[in-house]
CSV table of all heavy atoms in Angstrom, one decimal:
chain,number,residue,atom,x,y,z
A,359,MET,N,0.8,-1.2,0.0
A,359,MET,CA,0.0,0.0,0.0
A,359,MET,C,0.9,1.2,0.0
A,359,MET,O,1.8,1.4,0.8
A,359,MET,CB,-0.9,0.0,1.2
A,359,MET,CG,-1.7,1.2,1.4
A,359,MET,SD,-2.7,1.4,2.9
A,359,MET,CE,-3.8,0.0,2.7
A,360,ALA,N,0.6,2.1,-0.9
A,360,ALA,CA,1.4,3.4,-1.0
A,360,ALA,C,1.1,4.2,0.3
A,360,ALA,O,0.1,4.2,0.9
A,360,ALA,CB,1.0,4.2,-2.2
A,361,SER,N,2.2,4.9,0.7
A,361,SER,CA,2.0,5.8,1.9
A,361,SER,C,3.0,6.9,1.9
A,361,SER,O,4.0,6.9,1.2
A,361,SER,CB,2.2,4.9,3.2
A,361,SER,OG,3.4,4.3,3.2
A,362,THR,N,2.8,7.9,2.7
A,362,THR,CA,3.6,9.0,2.9
A,362,THR,C,3.8,9.3,4.4
A,362,THR,O,2.9,9.2,5.1
A,362,THR,CB,3.0,10.3,2.3
A,362,THR,OG1,2.8,10.1,0.9
A,362,THR,CG2,3.9,11.5,2.4
A,363,ILE,N,5.1,9.5,4.8
A,363,ILE,CA,5.4,9.8,6.2
A,363,ILE,C,6.1,11.2,6.2
A,363,ILE,O,7.2,11.3,5.7
A,363,ILE,CB,6.3,8.7,6.8
A,363,ILE,CG1,5.6,7.4,6.8
A,363,ILE,CG2,6.7,9.1,8.2
A,363,ILE,CD1,6.4,6.2,7.2
A,364,SER,N,5.5,12.1,6.9
A,364,SER,CA,6.0,13.5,7.0
A,364,SER,C,6.9,13.5,8.2
A,364,SER,O,6.5,13.0,9.3
A,364,SER,CB,4.9,14.5,7.1
A,364,SER,OG,5.5,15.8,7.4
A,365,ILE,N,8.0,14.2,8.1
A,365,ILE,CA,8.9,14.4,9.3
A,365,ILE,C,8.8,15.8,9.8
A,365,ILE,O,9.4,16.2,10.8
A,365,ILE,CB,10.4,14.1,9.0
A,365,ILE,CG1,10.9,15.0,7.9
A,365,ILE,CG2,10.6,12.6,8.6
A,365,ILE,CD1,12.4,15.0,7.7
A,366,SER,N,7.9,16.6,9.2
A,366,SER,CA,7.8,18.0,9.6
A,366,SER,C,7.4,18.3,11.0
A,366,SER,O,7.9,19.2,11.6
A,366,SER,CB,6.8,18.8,8.6
A,366,SER,OG,5.5,18.3,8.8
A,367,LYS,N,6.6,17.4,11.6
A,367,LYS,CA,6.3,17.6,13.0
A,367,LYS,C,7.4,17.2,14.0
A,367,LYS,O,7.3,17.5,15.2
A,367,LYS,CB,5.0,16.9,13.4
A,367,LYS,CG,5.0,15.4,13.2
A,367,LYS,CD,3.7,14.8,13.5
A,367,LYS,CE,3.7,13.3,13.3
A,367,LYS,NZ,2.3,12.7,13.5
A,368,TYR,N,8.4,16.6,13.5
A,368,TYR,CA,9.5,16.2,14.3
A,368,TYR,C,10.7,17.1,14.3
A,368,TYR,O,11.7,16.9,15.1
A,368,TYR,CB,10.0,14.8,13.9
A,368,TYR,CG,8.9,13.8,14.0
A,368,TYR,CD1,8.4,13.3,12.8
A,368,TYR,CD2,8.4,13.3,15.2
A,368,TYR,CE1,7.3,12.3,12.9
A,368,TYR,CE2,7.4,12.4,15.3
A,368,TYR,CZ,6.9,11.9,14.1
A,368,TYR,OH,5.8,11.0,14.1
A,369,VAL,N,10.7,18.2,13.5
A,369,VAL,CA,11.8,19.1,13.4
A,369,VAL,C,11.3,20.5,13.5
A,369,VAL,O,10.2,20.8,13.1
A,369,VAL,CB,12.5,18.9,12.0
A,369,VAL,CG1,13.2,17.6,11.9
A,369,VAL,CG2,11.6,19.1,10.8
A,370,LYS,N,12.1,21.4,14.1
A,370,LYS,CA,11.7,22.7,14.3
A,370,LYS,C,13.0,23.6,14.4
A,370,LYS,O,14.0,23.2,15.0
A,370,LYS,CB,10.9,22.9,15.6
A,370,LYS,CG,10.4,24.3,15.9
A,370,LYS,CD,9.6,24.3,17.1
A,370,LYS,CE,9.1,25.7,17.3
A,370,LYS,NZ,8.2,25.8,18.5
A,371,SER,N,12.9,24.7,13.7
A,371,SER,CA,14.0,25.7,13.7
A,371,SER,C,14.1,26.4,15.1
A,371,SER,O,13.1,26.7,15.6
A,371,SER,CB,13.8,26.7,12.6
A,371,SER,OG,14.7,27.8,12.7
A,372,ALA,N,15.3,26.6,15.6
A,372,ALA,CA,15.5,27.3,16.8
A,372,ALA,C,15.0,28.7,16.7
A,372,ALA,O,14.5,29.3,17.7
A,372,ALA,CB,16.9,27.2,17.3
A,373,SER,N,15.1,29.3,15.5
A,373,SER,CA,14.6,30.7,15.3
A,373,SER,C,13.1,30.8,15.0
A,373,SER,O,12.6,31.8,14.8
A,373,SER,CB,15.4,31.3,14.2
A,373,SER,OG,15.2,30.7,13.0
A,374,GLY,N,12.5,29.6,14.8
A,374,GLY,CA,11.1,29.6,14.4
A,374,GLY,C,10.8,29.7,12.9
A,374,GLY,O,9.7,29.7,12.5
A,375,GLY,N,11.8,29.8,12.1
A,375,GLY,CA,11.7,30.0,10.7
A,375,GLY,C,11.7,28.6,10.0
A,375,GLY,O,11.7,27.6,10.6
A,376,PRO,N,11.6,28.7,8.7
A,376,PRO,CA,11.5,27.4,7.9
A,376,PRO,C,12.9,26.7,7.9
A,376,PRO,O,13.9,27.3,8.1
A,376,PRO,CB,11.1,27.8,6.5
A,376,PRO,CG,11.5,29.3,6.4
A,376,PRO,CD,11.4,29.8,7.8
A,377,LEU,N,12.8,25.4,7.7
A,377,LEU,CA,14.1,24.6,7.6
A,377,LEU,C,14.2,24.0,6.2
A,377,LEU,O,13.2,23.6,5.6
A,377,LEU,CB,14.0,23.5,8.6
A,377,LEU,CG,14.2,23.8,10.1
A,377,LEU,CD1,14.0,22.6,10.9
A,377,LEU,CD2,15.6,24.4,10.3
A,378,ALA,N,15.4,23.8,5.8
A,378,ALA,CA,15.7,23.0,4.6
A,378,ALA,C,16.3,21.7,5.2
A,378,ALA,O,17.2,21.8,6.0
A,378,ALA,CB,16.7,23.6,3.7
A,379,ILE,N,15.8,20.5,4.8
A,379,ILE,CA,16.3,19.3,5.3
A,379,ILE,C,16.7,18.4,4.1
A,379,ILE,O,15.9,18.1,3.3
A,379,ILE,CB,15.3,18.5,6.2
A,379,ILE,CG1,14.9,19.5,7.4
A,379,ILE,CG2,15.8,17.2,6.7
A,379,ILE,CD1,13.9,18.9,8.3
A,380,ALA,N,18.0,18.1,4.1
A,380,ALA,CA,18.6,17.3,3.0
A,380,ALA,C,18.9,15.9,3.4
A,380,ALA,O,19.3,15.7,4.6
A,380,ALA,CB,19.8,18.0,2.4
A,381,LEU,N,18.8,15.0,2.5
A,381,LEU,CA,19.1,13.6,2.8
A,381,LEU,C,20.4,13.3,2.1
A,381,LEU,O,20.7,13.7,1.0
A,381,LEU,CB,18.0,12.7,2.2
A,381,LEU,CG,18.2,11.2,2.3
A,381,LEU,CD1,18.2,10.7,3.7
A,381,LEU,CD2,17.1,10.5,1.5
A,382,ASN,N,21.3,12.5,2.8
A,382,ASN,CA,22.6,12.2,2.2
A,382,ASN,C,22.4,11.3,1.0
A,382,ASN,O,21.2,10.9,0.6
A,382,ASN,CB,23.5,11.5,3.2
A,382,ASN,CG,23.0,10.2,3.7
A,382,ASN,OD1,21.9,9.8,3.5
A,382,ASN,ND2,23.9,9.5,4.5
A,383,SER,N,23.4,10.9,0.3
A,383,SER,CA,23.3,10.2,-1.0
A,383,SER,C,23.2,8.7,-0.9
A,383,SER,O,23.2,8.0,-2.0
A,383,SER,CB,24.6,10.6,-1.8
A,383,SER,OG,25.7,10.1,-1.2
A,384,ILE,N,23.0,8.1,0.2
A,384,ILE,CA,22.8,6.7,0.3
A,384,ILE,C,21.4,6.4,-0.2
A,384,ILE,O,20.4,7.0,0.2
A,384,ILE,CB,23.0,6.2,1.8
A,384,ILE,CG1,24.5,6.4,2.2
A,384,ILE,CG2,22.6,4.7,1.9
A,384,ILE,CD1,24.8,6.0,3.6
A,385,ALA,N,21.3,5.4,-1.1
A,385,ALA,CA,20.1,5.0,-1.7
A,385,ALA,C,19.1,4.5,-0.7
A,385,ALA,O,19.4,3.7,0.2
A,385,ALA,CB,20.3,4.0,-2.8
A,386,LEU,N,17.8,5.0,-0.8
A,386,LEU,CA,16.7,4.5,0.0
A,386,LEU,C,16.3,3.2,-0.6
A,386,LEU,O,16.6,2.8,-1.8
A,386,LEU,CB,15.6,5.5,-0.1
A,386,LEU,CG,15.8,6.8,0.7
A,386,LEU,CD1,14.8,7.8,0.3
A,386,LEU,CD2,15.9,6.6,2.2
A,387,PRO,N,15.5,2.4,0.1
A,387,PRO,CA,15.0,1.1,-0.5
A,387,PRO,C,14.2,1.4,-1.7
A,387,PRO,O,13.6,2.5,-1.9
A,387,PRO,CB,14.1,0.6,0.7
A,387,PRO,CG,14.5,1.2,1.9
A,387,PRO,CD,15.0,2.6,1.5
A,388,PRO,N,14.1,0.4,-2.6
A,388,PRO,CA,13.3,0.6,-3.9
A,388,PRO,C,11.9,1.0,-3.6
A,388,PRO,O,11.3,0.5,-2.6
A,388,PRO,CB,13.4,-0.8,-4.5
A,388,PRO,CG,14.6,-1.5,-3.9
A,388,PRO,CD,14.7,-0.9,-2.5
A,389,GLY,N,11.4,2.0,-4.3
A,389,GLY,CA,10.1,2.5,-4.2
A,389,GLY,C,9.9,3.6,-3.1
A,389,GLY,O,8.8,4.1,-3.0
A,390,VAL,N,11.0,3.9,-2.4
A,390,VAL,CA,10.9,5.0,-1.4
A,390,VAL,C,11.7,6.2,-1.9
A,390,VAL,O,12.8,6.0,-2.4
A,390,VAL,CB,11.5,4.5,-0.1
A,390,VAL,CG1,11.5,5.6,0.9
A,390,VAL,CG2,10.8,3.3,0.4
A,391,THR,N,11.1,7.4,-1.8
A,391,THR,CA,11.8,8.6,-2.2
A,391,THR,C,11.6,9.6,-1.0
A,391,THR,O,10.8,9.4,-0.2
A,391,THR,CB,11.2,9.2,-3.5
A,391,THR,OG1,9.8,9.4,-3.3
A,391,THR,CG2,11.4,8.3,-4.7
A,392,TYR,N,12.5,10.6,-1.0
A,392,TYR,CA,12.4,11.7,0.0
A,392,TYR,C,12.0,12.9,-0.8
A,392,TYR,O,12.7,13.3,-1.8
A,392,TYR,CB,13.7,11.8,0.7
A,392,TYR,CG,13.7,13.0,1.6
A,392,TYR,CD1,12.8,13.1,2.7
A,392,TYR,CD2,14.5,14.2,1.4
A,392,TYR,CE1,12.8,14.2,3.6
A,392,TYR,CE2,14.4,15.3,2.3
A,392,TYR,CZ,13.6,15.3,3.3
A,392,TYR,OH,13.5,16.3,4.2
A,393,ASN,N,11.0,13.6,-0.3
A,393,ASN,CA,10.6,14.9,-0.9
A,393,ASN,C,11.0,16.0,0.0
A,393,ASN,O,10.4,16.2,1.0
A,393,ASN,CB,9.1,14.9,-1.2
A,393,ASN,CG,8.5,16.1,-1.9
A,393,ASN,OD1,9.0,17.2,-1.6
A,393,ASN,ND2,7.6,15.9,-2.7
A,394,ALA,N,12.1,16.7,-0.4
A,394,ALA,CA,12.6,17.8,0.5
A,394,ALA,C,11.6,18.9,0.6
A,394,ALA,O,11.6,19.7,1.6
A,394,ALA,CB,13.9,18.2,0.0
A,395,ARG,N,10.8,19.2,-0.4
A,395,ARG,CA,9.9,20.3,-0.4
A,395,ARG,C,8.8,20.1,0.7
A,395,ARG,O,8.4,21.0,1.4
A,395,ARG,CB,9.2,20.5,-1.8
A,395,ARG,CG,8.4,21.7,-1.9
A,395,ARG,CD,7.8,21.9,-3.2
A,395,ARG,NE,6.9,20.8,-3.7
A,395,ARG,CZ,5.7,20.6,-3.3
A,395,ARG,NH1,5.1,21.4,-2.4
A,395,ARG,NH2,5.0,19.6,-3.7
A,396,THR,N,8.3,18.8,0.8
A,396,THR,CA,7.2,18.5,1.7
A,396,THR,C,7.7,17.9,3.0
A,396,THR,O,7.0,17.6,3.9
A,396,THR,CB,6.2,17.6,1.1
A,396,THR,OG1,6.8,16.4,0.8
A,396,THR,CG2,5.5,18.2,-0.1
A,397,LEU,N,9.0,17.6,3.1
A,397,LEU,CA,9.7,17.0,4.2
A,397,LEU,C,9.0,15.6,4.5
A,397,LEU,O,8.7,15.3,5.6
A,397,LEU,CB,9.6,17.9,5.5
A,397,LEU,CG,10.3,19.3,5.4
A,397,LEU,CD1,10.1,20.0,6.7
A,397,LEU,CD2,11.7,19.2,5.0
A,398,SER,N,8.9,14.8,3.4
A,398,SER,CA,8.2,13.6,3.5
A,398,SER,C,8.9,12.5,2.8
A,398,SER,O,9.6,12.7,1.8
A,398,SER,CB,6.8,13.7,2.9
A,398,SER,OG,6.0,14.6,3.5
A,399,PHE,N,8.8,11.3,3.4
A,399,PHE,CA,9.2,10.1,2.7
A,399,PHE,C,8.0,9.5,2.1
A,399,PHE,O,6.9,9.4,2.7
A,399,PHE,CB,9.9,9.1,3.7
A,399,PHE,CG,11.2,9.5,4.2
A,399,PHE,CD1,11.3,10.3,5.3
A,399,PHE,CD2,12.4,9.1,3.5
A,399,PHE,CE1,12.6,10.7,5.8
A,399,PHE,CE2,13.6,9.6,3.9
A,399,PHE,CZ,13.7,10.3,5.1
A,400,VAL,N,8.1,9.1,0.8
A,400,VAL,CA,7.0,8.6,0.0
A,400,VAL,C,7.3,7.1,-0.4
A,400,VAL,O,8.4,6.9,-1.0
A,400,VAL,CB,6.7,9.5,-1.2
A,400,VAL,CG1,5.6,8.9,-2.0
A,400,VAL,CG2,6.5,10.9,-0.7
A,401,TYR,N,6.4,6.2,-0.2
A,401,TYR,CA,6.5,4.8,-0.7
A,401,TYR,C,5.5,4.6,-1.7
A,401,TYR,O,4.3,4.9,-1.5
A,401,TYR,CB,6.4,3.9,0.5
A,401,TYR,CG,6.3,2.4,0.1
A,401,TYR,CD1,7.4,1.9,-0.7
A,401,TYR,CD2,5.3,1.6,0.4
A,401,TYR,CE1,7.3,0.5,-1.1
A,401,TYR,CE2,5.2,0.3,0.0
A,401,TYR,CZ,6.2,-0.2,-0.8
A,401,TYR,OH,6.2,-1.5,-1.2
A,402,ASP,N,5.9,4.1,-2.9
A,402,ASP,CA,5.0,3.9,-4.0
A,402,ASP,C,4.1,2.7,-3.9
A,402,ASP,O,3.2,2.5,-4.7
A,402,ASP,CB,5.7,3.9,-5.3
A,402,ASP,CG,6.6,2.8,-5.5
A,402,ASP,OD1,6.6,1.8,-4.7
A,402,ASP,OD2,7.4,2.8,-6.5
A,403,GLY,N,4.3,1.9,-2.9
A,403,GLY,CA,3.4,0.7,-2.6
A,403,GLY,C,3.8,-0.5,-3.5
A,403,GLY,O,3.1,-1.5,-3.5
A,404,ILE,N,4.8,-0.4,-4.3
A,404,ILE,CA,5.2,-1.5,-5.2
A,404,ILE,C,6.5,-2.1,-4.7
A,404,ILE,O,7.5,-1.4,-4.3
A,404,ILE,CB,5.5,-0.9,-6.6
A,404,ILE,CG1,4.2,-0.3,-7.1
A,404,ILE,CG2,5.9,-2.0,-7.5
A,404,ILE,CD1,4.3,0.4,-8.4
A,405,GLY,N,6.6,-3.4,-4.7
A,405,GLY,CA,7.9,-4.0,-4.3
A,405,GLY,C,7.8,-4.6,-2.9
A,405,GLY,O,6.9,-4.3,-2.1
A,406,ALA,N,8.8,-5.4,-2.6
A,406,ALA,CA,8.9,-6.0,-1.3
A,406,ALA,C,9.5,-5.0,-0.2
A,406,ALA,O,10.1,-4.0,-0.5
A,406,ALA,CB,9.8,-7.2,-1.4
A,407,VAL,N,9.2,-5.4,1.0
A,407,VAL,CA,9.8,-4.6,2.1
A,407,VAL,C,11.3,-4.7,2.1
A,407,VAL,O,11.8,-5.8,1.9
A,407,VAL,CB,9.2,-5.1,3.5
A,407,VAL,CG1,9.8,-4.4,4.6
A,407,VAL,CG2,7.7,-5.0,3.5
A,408,GLY,N,12.0,-3.7,2.4
A,408,GLY,CA,13.4,-3.7,2.4
A,408,GLY,C,13.9,-2.7,3.5
A,408,GLY,O,13.1,-1.9,4.0
A,409,SER,N,15.1,-2.8,3.8
A,409,SER,CA,15.7,-1.8,4.8
A,409,SER,C,17.1,-1.5,4.4
A,409,SER,O,17.8,-2.2,3.7
A,409,SER,CB,15.7,-2.4,6.2
A,409,SER,OG,16.6,-3.5,6.3
A,410,THR,N,17.5,-0.3,4.7
A,410,THR,CA,18.9,0.2,4.5
A,410,THR,C,19.3,1.0,5.7
A,410,THR,O,18.4,1.4,6.5
A,410,THR,CB,19.0,1.1,3.2
A,410,THR,OG1,18.0,2.1,3.3
A,410,THR,CG2,18.6,0.3,2.0
A,411,ASP,N,20.5,1.3,5.8
A,411,ASP,CA,21.0,2.1,6.9
A,411,ASP,C,22.0,3.1,6.5
A,411,ASP,O,22.4,3.1,5.3
A,411,ASP,CB,21.5,1.3,8.1
A,411,ASP,CG,22.7,0.4,7.7
A,411,ASP,OD1,23.2,0.6,6.6
A,411,ASP,OD2,23.2,-0.3,8.6
A,412,GLY,N,22.4,4.0,7.3
A,412,GLY,CA,23.4,5.0,7.0
A,412,GLY,C,22.8,6.3,6.5
A,412,GLY,O,23.5,7.2,6.0
A,413,HIS,N,21.5,6.4,6.6
A,413,HIS,CA,20.8,7.6,6.1
A,413,HIS,C,21.0,8.8,7.1
A,413,HIS,O,20.8,8.5,8.3
A,413,HIS,CB,19.3,7.4,5.8
A,413,HIS,CG,19.1,6.3,4.9
A,413,HIS,ND1,19.4,6.4,3.5
A,413,HIS,CD2,18.7,5.0,5.1
A,413,HIS,CE1,19.1,5.2,2.9
A,413,HIS,NE2,18.7,4.3,3.9
A,414,VAL,N,21.3,9.9,6.6
A,414,VAL,CA,21.5,11.1,7.4
A,414,VAL,C,20.7,12.3,6.9
A,414,VAL,O,20.8,12.6,5.7
A,414,VAL,CB,23.0,11.5,7.6
A,414,VAL,CG1,23.2,12.7,8.4
A,414,VAL,CG2,23.8,10.3,8.1
A,415,LEU,N,19.9,12.9,7.7
A,415,LEU,CA,19.2,14.1,7.4
A,415,LEU,C,19.9,15.2,8.0
A,415,LEU,O,20.2,15.2,9.2
A,415,LEU,CB,17.7,14.0,7.9
A,415,LEU,CG,16.8,13.0,7.3
A,415,LEU,CD1,15.6,12.8,8.1
A,415,LEU,CD2,16.5,13.3,5.8
A,416,THR,N,20.1,16.3,7.2
A,416,THR,CA,20.8,17.5,7.7
A,416,THR,C,19.9,18.7,7.6
A,416,THR,O,19.4,19.0,6.5
A,416,THR,CB,22.1,17.7,6.9
A,416,THR,OG1,22.9,16.6,6.9
A,416,THR,CG2,22.9,18.9,7.4
A,417,ALA,N,19.7,19.4,8.7
A,417,ALA,CA,18.8,20.5,8.7
A,417,ALA,C,19.6,21.8,8.7
A,417,ALA,O,20.6,21.9,9.4
A,417,ALA,CB,17.9,20.5,9.9
A,418,SER,N,19.0,22.8,8.0
A,418,SER,CA,19.6,24.2,8.0
A,418,SER,C,18.5,25.2,7.9
A,418,SER,O,17.5,24.9,7.2
A,418,SER,CB,20.7,24.3,6.9
A,418,SER,OG,20.1,24.1,5.7
A,419,ASP,N,18.7,26.3,8.6
A,419,ASP,CA,17.7,27.4,8.4
A,419,ASP,C,17.7,28.0,7.0
A,419,ASP,O,18.8,28.1,6.4
A,419,ASP,CB,18.0,28.5,9.4
A,419,ASP,CG,17.6,28.1,10.8
A,419,ASP,OD1,16.5,27.6,11.0
A,419,ASP,OD2,18.4,28.4,11.7
A,420,ILE,N,16.6,28.4,6.5
A,420,ILE,CA,16.5,29.1,5.2
A,420,ILE,C,15.9,30.4,5.3
A,420,ILE,O,15.4,30.8,6.3
A,420,ILE,CB,15.8,28.2,4.1
A,420,ILE,CG1,14.4,27.8,4.6
A,420,ILE,CG2,16.6,27.0,3.7
A,420,ILE,CD1,13.5,27.2,3.6
């Protein structure tokens, strides 16, 4: 089943302004993408369950 998980409620700028959150270059599992504009991970619902590690999100004020 396709789904979207937003991380926006888990991050907050110390100054109260908007944040830019970038994902490092390690590939996500097949069918999963990160949308930096919406701060969401999106799964297309196709393919088997998989896992990876080493993912790092970096936040910066914009």
Side-chain angles (χ1 to χ4, degrees):
M359 175 186 297
S361 61
T362 300
I363 299 172
S364 173
I365 62 168
S366 63
K367 64 183 175 184
Y368 302 107
V369 294
K370 184 176 179 181
S371 168
S373 66
L377 287 173
I379 300 180
L381 176 66
N382 66 350
S383 62
I384 295 176
L386 292 168
V390 178
T391 57
Y392 174 66
N393 183 323
R395 187 180 59 76
T396 63
L397 303 178
S398 299
F399 289 90
V400 180
Y401 172 57
D402 63 11
I404 301 170
V407 175
S409 67
T410 56
D411 61 4
H413 304 286
V414 177
L415 294 167
T416 304
S418 58
D419 286 316
I420 52 174

